[in-house]
Amino acid sequence: MAKALTGAYLAGGLTLGVMALTAGVLLRAPSLAQGLESVVRLTARTSLLLFLLVFCSSALWAYWPGAFSRWLRQQRRYVALGFAGSHLVHAGLFTWLASLGPLQAAQVWQPAMILVGGSSYAVLLLLVLTSNNAAQRWLGAARWQRLHRVGVYWLWAQFLISMAKRLPVDGLLYGAWVALLLAAMALRWWPQPAR
């Protein structure tokens, strides 16, 4: 497999790809405010897609073993770091949007958003800091697995809440995201075939 599709190259490439996509949208936007609103939504979706790949990687391998699911399972840690990079870009864009004026700041810095978003970033940071073999040895396999399981379920719940609350804005689009999140959870919990 190409070096760019493995390890730290993969994590960095995913993050740089999201940044390049963001820059492209911003450069074509009619105004900075409109561009930032667009890329905030865009990076929320890139983060969600990368998260879902990580969230479902073991189940995909169990049900559909093949070259892609094997690669995804082997590179799960680095896809997760790419997700973290995408979500960090998302946070930076949100902060930039809030700096444009009081109206944008009032939309971005709502107490519920700070509490929920802040807790999600704290969980994400904890997962990133422990996404290495040294942390796994230090915590012990059972505690490390518990931490990461609880962490990914927390992030899944935050994505579900975030998408579900936007259903009145665009029921078709956000309904599809909600359905995808529910399907991912069902896939993860469905009894896996014996192998």
Side-chain angles (χ1 to χ4, degrees):
M1 180 106 12
K3 201 175 193 180
L5 295 177
T6 60
Y9 293 101
L10 174 62
L14 288 169
T15 303
L16 289 173
V18 169
M19 291 171 79
L21 195 58
T22 297
V25 172
L26 283 174
L27 288 172
R28 296 182 54 137
S31 72
L32 180 59
Q34 287 177 309
L36 284 171
E37 287 172 4
S38 294
V39 291
V40 161
R41 286 191 299 273
L42 175 68
T43 53
R45 293 169 191 162
T46 59
S47 295
L48 178 51
L49 283 173
L50 291 170
F51 171 78
L52 285 172
L53 284 173
V54 174
F55 190 73
C56 294
S57 59
S58 292
L60 290 173
W61 169 249
Y63 292 113
W64 298 285
F68 175 74
S69 58
R70 183 185 312 108
W71 170 83
L72 180 59
R73 192 162 174 248
Q74 290 170 346
Q75 300 303 317
R76 175 175 42 198
R77 176 180 291 176
Y78 301 101
V79 176
L81 292 172
F83 152 63
S86 174
H87 223 43
L88 185 61
V89 171
H90 178 70
L93 293 167
F94 243 124
T95 305
W96 190 3
L97 180 61
S99 74
L100 294 184
L103 179 63
Q104 289 89 347
Q107 290 174 335
V108 171
W109 301 128
Q110 297 173 16
M113 191 176 289
I114 292 169
L115 181 65
V116 174
S119 67
S120 296
Y121 278 98
V123 168
L124 183 57
L125 178 63
L126 189 58
L127 295 180
V128 167
L129 291 174
T130 58
S131 286
N132 56 69
N133 294 336
Q136 193 171 4
R137 284 191 301 272
W138 180 71
L139 287 167
R143 277 191 298 249
W144 185 89
Q145 282 185 331
R146 216 171 12 251
L147 170 67
H148 280 252
R149 186 176 300 118
V150 169
V152 296
Y153 285 139
W154 178 266
L155 293 172
W156 177 89
Q158 299 313 310
F159 274 120
L160 183 67
I161 291 165
S162 178
M163 294 299 148
K165 75 179 184 182
R166 287 173 177 79
L167 285 170
V169 175
D170 187 344
L172 188 61
L173 174 65
Y174 291 105
W177 285 114
V178 167
L180 197 55
L181 280 157
L182 294 174
M185 183 62 83
L187 182 66
R188 192 172 164 119
W189 279 90
W190 199 262
Q192 295 185 3
R195 300 197 56 201

